[in-house]
Amino acid sequence: MPALNVEFSDRELEDLRQIAKERGTSMKALVREAAAADIARHRALQEGAEAFRRFFSAHADEFAAAFPEDEAPTKGEGRAA
């Protein structure tokens, strides 16, 4: 399995040791679980953003009607200088 060397400050390393001890796990497992959780969170945010884009695109006309002040001016609609 590929590996990654990660550097921590003395304080961070001591905190990791303490947390791992409190949880009854190894530091390696603690760091791996934290990274895996962040990867899962990142994927979920990406999927949520994509779902929002699809929903917004499917209902763009409804949003435009409900919030006309948020619509960009069309060509020729700009304010006079």
Side-chain angles (χ1 to χ4, degrees):
M1 178 185 293
L4 173 68
N5 292 327
V6 180
E7 295 180 13
F8 295 97
S9 70
D10 290 340
R11 175 63 191 263
E12 291 168 333
L13 201 54
E14 184 55 39
D15 288 346
L16 284 171
R17 279 190 189 105
Q18 183 62 36
I19 294 167
K21 183 179 176 182
E22 290 171 6
R23 294 184 185 179
T25 190
S26 68
M27 289 175 39
K28 183 177 179 178
L30 179 70
V31 171
R32 187 178 186 301
E33 288 169 13
D38 195 51
I39 290 167
R41 183 183 66 78
H42 180 74
R43 286 181 183 155
L45 287 172
Q46 286 180 317
E47 291 169 6
E50 182 56 34
F52 175 78
R53 281 190 285 275
R54 284 192 308 270
F55 179 83
F56 187 82
S57 293
H59 300 278
D61 292 340
E62 295 166 61
F63 280 105
F67 306 102
E69 66 279 2
D70 291 340
E71 291 298 301
T74 58
K75 189 175 180 178
E77 259 186 36
R79 292 183 180 176

